[in-house]
Coordinates of all heavy atoms in Angstrom, one line a residue:
Chain A
S528 N 17.0 -10.1 -5.8 CA 17.2 -8.8 -6.5 C 15.9 -8.5 -7.3 O 15.8 -7.4 -7.9 CB 18.3 -8.9 -7.5 OG 18.1 -9.9 -8.5
R529 N 14.9 -9.3 -7.2 CA 13.6 -9.1 -7.9 C 12.7 -8.1 -7.2 O 11.7 -7.6 -7.8 CB 12.9 -10.4 -8.2 CG 13.7 -11.4 -9.1 CD 12.9 -12.6 -9.4 NE 11.7 -12.2 -10.1 CZ 10.7 -13.1 -10.4 NH1 10.7 -14.3 -9.9 NH2 9.6 -12.7 -11.1
Y530 N 12.9 -8.0 -5.9 CA 11.8 -7.3 -5.1 C 12.3 -6.1 -4.3 O 13.5 -6.0 -3.9 CB 11.1 -8.3 -4.2 CG 10.7 -9.6 -4.8 CD1 11.4 -10.8 -4.5 CD2 9.7 -9.6 -5.8 CE1 11.0 -12.0 -5.1 CE2 9.3 -10.8 -6.4 CZ 10.0 -12.0 -6.1 OH 9.6 -13.1 -6.7
F531 N 11.4 -5.2 -4.0 CA 11.5 -4.2 -3.0 C 10.6 -4.6 -1.8 O 9.6 -5.3 -2.0 CB 11.1 -2.8 -3.5 CG 12.1 -2.3 -4.5 CD1 12.2 -2.7 -5.8 CD2 13.0 -1.2 -4.1 CE1 13.1 -2.2 -6.7 CE2 13.9 -0.7 -5.0 CZ 13.9 -1.2 -6.3
W532 N 11.0 -4.1 -0.6 CA 10.2 -4.4 0.6 C 9.8 -3.1 1.3 O 10.7 -2.3 1.5 CB 11.0 -5.3 1.5 CG 11.4 -6.6 0.8 CD1 12.6 -6.7 0.2 CD2 10.7 -7.8 0.6 NE1 12.7 -8.0 -0.4 CE2 11.5 -8.6 -0.1 CE3 9.4 -8.2 1.0 CZ2 11.1 -9.9 -0.5 CZ3 9.0 -9.5 0.7 CH2 9.8 -10.3 -0.1
G533 N 8.5 -2.9 1.5 CA 8.1 -1.6 1.9 C 7.2 -1.6 3.2 O 6.7 -2.7 3.6
W534 N 7.1 -0.4 3.7 CA 6.2 -0.2 4.9 C 5.1 0.9 4.4 O 5.5 1.9 3.8 CB 7.0 0.4 6.1 CG 7.8 -0.7 6.7 CD1 9.2 -0.9 6.6 CD2 7.4 -1.6 7.7 NE1 9.6 -1.9 7.4 CE2 8.5 -2.4 8.1 CE3 6.2 -1.9 8.3 CZ2 8.5 -3.4 9.0 CZ3 6.1 -2.9 9.3 CH2 7.2 -3.7 9.6
I535 N 3.9 0.6 4.8 CA 2.8 1.4 4.5 C 2.0 1.5 5.8 O 1.8 0.5 6.5 CB 1.9 0.9 3.4 CG1 2.7 0.7 2.1 CG2 0.7 1.8 3.1 CD1 3.1 -0.8 1.8
R536 N 1.4 2.7 6.1 CA 0.6 2.8 7.3 C -0.8 3.4 6.9 O -0.9 4.0 5.9 CB 1.3 3.7 8.4 CG 1.4 5.2 8.0 CD 2.0 5.9 9.1 NE 2.1 7.4 8.9 CZ 2.6 8.2 9.8 NH1 3.1 7.8 10.9 NH2 2.6 9.5 9.5
Q537 N -1.7 3.1 7.8 CA -3.1 3.6 7.5 C -3.7 4.0 8.8 O -4.1 3.2 9.6 CB -3.9 2.4 6.9 CG -5.3 2.8 6.4 CD -6.0 1.8 5.6 OE1 -5.7 0.6 5.8 NE2 -6.9 2.1 4.8
P538 N -3.8 5.3 9.0 CA -4.5 5.8 10.2 C -6.0 5.4 10.2 O -6.6 5.2 9.2 CB -4.4 7.4 10.1 CG -3.3 7.6 9.1 CD -3.3 6.4 8.2
P539 N -6.6 5.2 11.4 CA -8.0 4.8 11.5 C -8.9 5.6 10.6 O -8.9 6.9 10.7 CB -8.3 4.9 12.9 CG -7.0 4.8 13.6 CD -6.0 5.5 12.7
G540 N -9.6 5.0 9.7 CA -10.6 5.7 8.9 C -10.0 6.5 7.7 O -10.8 7.2 7.1
K541 N -8.7 6.3 7.5 CA -8.1 7.1 6.4 C -7.4 6.2 5.4 O -7.4 5.0 5.5 CB -7.1 8.1 7.0 CG -7.7 9.1 7.9 CD -6.6 10.1 8.4 CE -7.2 11.2 9.3 NZ -6.2 12.2 9.7
G542 N -6.9 6.9 4.3 CA -6.3 6.1 3.3 C -4.9 5.7 3.7 O -4.3 6.3 4.6
P543 N -4.3 4.8 3.0 CA -2.9 4.3 3.3 C -1.9 5.5 3.0 O -2.2 6.4 2.2 CB -2.7 3.1 2.3 CG -4.0 2.7 1.9 CD -4.9 4.0 1.9
E544 N -0.7 5.4 3.6 CA 0.4 6.3 3.4 C 1.7 5.5 3.2 O 2.0 4.7 4.2 CB 0.5 7.3 4.5 CG 1.7 8.3 4.3 CD 1.9 9.2 5.5 OE1 1.4 8.8 6.6 OE2 2.5 10.2 5.4
W545 N 2.3 5.6 2.1 CA 3.6 4.9 1.9 C 4.7 5.6 2.8 O 4.8 6.8 2.8 CB 4.0 5.0 0.5 CG 5.4 4.4 0.1 CD1 5.7 3.1 0.1 CD2 6.5 5.1 -0.2 NE1 7.0 3.0 -0.2 CE2 7.6 4.2 -0.5 CE3 6.9 6.5 -0.4 CZ2 8.9 4.5 -0.8 CZ3 8.2 6.8 -0.8 CH2 9.1 5.9 -1.0
I546 N 5.4 4.7 3.6 CA 6.4 5.2 4.5 C 7.8 5.2 3.8 O 8.6 6.1 3.9 CB 6.4 4.4 5.8 CG1 5.1 4.5 6.5 CG2 7.6 4.9 6.7 CD1 5.0 3.6 7.7
G547 N 8.0 4.0 3.2 CA 9.3 3.8 2.5 C 9.5 2.4 2.1 O 8.8 1.5 2.5
S548 N 10.6 2.2 1.3 CA 10.9 0.8 0.8 C 12.4 0.6 0.9 O 13.2 1.6 0.9 CB 10.4 0.7 -0.6 OG 9.0 0.7 -0.7
I549 N 12.8 -0.7 0.9 CA 14.2 -1.0 0.9 C 14.4 -2.1 -0.1 O 13.6 -3.0 -0.4 CB 14.6 -1.5 2.3 CG1 16.2 -1.6 2.4 CG2 13.9 -2.7 2.8 CD1 16.7 -1.7 3.8
Y550 N 15.6 -2.1 -0.7 CA 16.1 -3.1 -1.7 C 17.0 -4.0 -0.9 O 17.6 -3.7 0.1 CB 16.7 -2.4 -2.9 CG 16.9 -3.3 -4.1 CD1 15.9 -4.1 -4.6 CD2 18.2 -3.3 -4.7 CE1 16.1 -4.8 -5.7 CE2 18.4 -4.0 -5.9 CZ 17.3 -4.8 -6.4 OH 17.5 -5.6 -7.5
F551 N 17.2 -5.2 -1.5 CA 18.1 -6.2 -0.8 C 19.5 -5.7 -0.5 O 20.1 -6.1 0.4 CB 18.1 -7.5 -1.6 CG 19.1 -7.5 -2.7 CD1 20.3 -8.2 -2.6 CD2 18.8 -6.8 -3.9 CE1 21.3 -8.2 -3.6 CE2 19.7 -6.8 -4.9 CZ 21.0 -7.5 -4.8
S552 N 19.9 -4.8 -1.4 CA 21.3 -4.2 -1.3 C 21.4 -3.3 -0.1 O 22.5 -2.9 0.3 CB 21.6 -3.5 -2.5 OG 20.7 -2.4 -2.7
G553 N 20.2 -2.9 0.5 CA 20.2 -2.0 1.6 C 19.9 -0.5 1.1 O 19.7 0.3 2.0
N554 N 19.7 -0.3 -0.2 CA 19.3 1.0 -0.6 C 17.9 1.3 -0.1 O 17.0 0.4 -0.2 CB 19.3 1.0 -2.2 CG 20.7 1.1 -2.8 OD1 21.7 1.1 -2.0 ND2 20.8 1.2 -4.1
T555 N 17.7 2.5 0.4 CA 16.4 2.8 1.0 C 15.8 4.1 0.3 O 16.5 4.9 -0.3 CB 16.6 3.2 2.5 OG1 17.6 4.1 2.6 CG2 16.9 1.9 3.3
Y556 N 14.5 4.1 0.3 CA 13.7 5.2 -0.3 C 12.6 5.5 0.6 O 11.8 4.7 1.1 CB 13.1 4.6 -1.6 CG 14.2 4.0 -2.5 CD1 14.5 2.7 -2.4 CD2 14.9 4.7 -3.4 CE1 15.5 2.1 -3.1 CE2 15.9 4.1 -4.2 CZ 16.2 2.8 -4.1 OH 17.1 2.2 -4.8
Y557 N 12.5 6.8 1.0 CA 11.6 7.2 2.0 C 10.6 8.3 1.5 O 10.9 9.1 0.6 CB 12.3 7.8 3.2 CG 13.3 6.9 3.9 CD1 14.6 7.2 4.3 CD2 12.9 5.5 4.2 CE1 15.4 6.4 4.9 CE2 13.8 4.7 4.8 CZ 15.0 5.1 5.2 OH 15.9 4.2 5.8
S558 N 9.4 8.3 2.1 CA 8.5 9.4 1.8 C 9.1 10.7 2.2 O 9.6 10.8 3.3 CB 7.2 9.1 2.6 OG 6.4 10.3 2.6
P559 N 9.0 11.7 1.4 CA 9.5 13.0 1.7 C 9.0 13.6 3.1 O 9.7 14.2 3.8 CB 9.1 13.9 0.6 CG 8.9 13.0 -0.6 CD 8.4 11.7 0.0
S560 N 7.7 13.3 3.3 CA 7.1 13.8 4.5 C 7.6 13.1 5.8 O 7.4 13.7 6.9 CB 5.6 13.7 4.4 OG 5.2 12.4 4.4
L561 N 8.1 12.0 5.7 CA 8.6 11.2 6.9 C 10.1 11.0 7.0 O 10.6 10.5 7.9 CB 7.9 9.9 7.0 CG 6.4 9.9 7.1 CD1 5.7 8.5 6.9 CD2 6.0 10.4 8.5
K562 N 10.8 11.4 5.9 CA 12.2 11.1 5.7 C 13.0 11.4 6.9 O 14.0 10.6 7.3 CB 12.7 11.8 4.5 CG 14.1 11.4 4.1 CD 14.5 12.1 2.7 CE 15.8 11.6 2.3 NZ 16.2 12.1 0.9
S563 N 12.8 12.5 7.6 CA 13.6 12.9 8.7 C 13.5 12.0 9.9 O 14.3 12.1 10.8 CB 13.3 14.4 9.1 OG 12.0 14.5 9.5
R564 N 12.4 11.2 10.0 CA 12.2 10.4 11.2 C 12.2 8.9 10.9 O 12.1 8.1 11.9 CB 10.8 10.8 11.8 CG 10.6 12.2 12.2 CD 9.4 12.4 13.1 NE 8.2 12.2 12.3 CZ 7.2 11.4 12.7 NH1 7.3 10.7 13.8 NH2 6.1 11.3 12.0
V565 N 12.4 8.5 9.7 CA 12.3 7.1 9.3 C 13.7 6.4 9.0 O 14.5 7.0 8.4 CB 11.4 6.9 8.1 CG1 11.4 5.5 7.6 CG2 10.0 7.3 8.5
T566 N 13.8 5.2 9.5 CA 14.9 4.3 9.1 C 14.3 2.9 8.8 O 13.6 2.4 9.7 CB 16.0 4.2 10.2 OG1 16.5 5.5 10.5 CG2 17.1 3.3 9.7
I567 N 14.6 2.4 7.6 CA 14.3 1.1 7.3 C 15.5 0.3 7.0 O 16.5 0.8 6.4 CB 13.4 1.0 6.0 CG1 12.0 1.7 6.3 CG2 13.1 -0.4 5.6 CD1 11.1 1.8 5.1
S568 N 15.6 -0.9 7.6 CA 16.8 -1.7 7.5 C 16.4 -3.1 7.2 O 15.3 -3.5 7.3 CB 17.6 -1.7 8.8 OG 16.9 -2.2 9.9
V569 N 17.4 -3.9 6.7 CA 17.1 -5.3 6.3 C 18.1 -6.2 6.9 O 19.3 -5.8 7.1 CB 17.2 -5.4 4.7 CG1 18.6 -5.1 4.2 CG2 16.7 -6.8 4.3
D570 N 17.6 -7.4 7.3 CA 18.5 -8.4 7.9 C 18.3 -9.7 7.1 O 17.4 -10.4 7.3 CB 18.1 -8.7 9.4 CG 19.0 -9.6 10.1 OD1 19.7 -10.4 9.4 OD2 19.1 -9.6 11.3
T571 N 19.2 -9.9 6.1 CA 19.1 -11.0 5.2 C 19.3 -12.3 5.9 O 18.7 -13.3 5.5 CB 20.1 -10.9 4.0 OG1 21.4 -10.7 4.6 CG2 19.7 -9.7 3.2
S572 N 20.0 -12.4 7.0 CA 20.3 -13.6 7.7 C 19.0 -14.1 8.4 O 18.8 -15.3 8.5 CB 21.4 -13.5 8.7 OG 20.9 -12.6 9.8
K573 N 18.1 -13.2 8.7 CA 16.8 -13.6 9.4 C 15.7 -13.5 8.4 O 14.5 -13.7 8.8 CB 16.6 -12.7 10.6 CG 17.6 -12.9 11.7 CD 17.2 -12.0 12.9 CE 18.2 -12.3 14.1 NZ 17.9 -11.4 15.2

Side-chain angles (χ1 to χ4, degrees):
Chain A
S528 60
R529 296 185 63 190
Y530 311 113
F531 287 76
W532 305 93
W534 288 96
I535 302 103
R536 70 181 183 178
Q537 186 171 25
K541 296 186 179 181
E544 177 184 22
W545 177 70
I546 299 171
S548 295
I549 190 166
Y550 194 48
F551 82 103
S552 60
N554 286 1
T555 51
Y556 309 87
Y557 300 135
S558 165
S560 64
L561 295 170
K562 186 174 185 177
S563 64
R564 299 195 291 131
V565 173
T566 302
I567 296 175
S568 59
V569 65
D570 186 338
T571 54
S572 67
K573 294 183 178 178

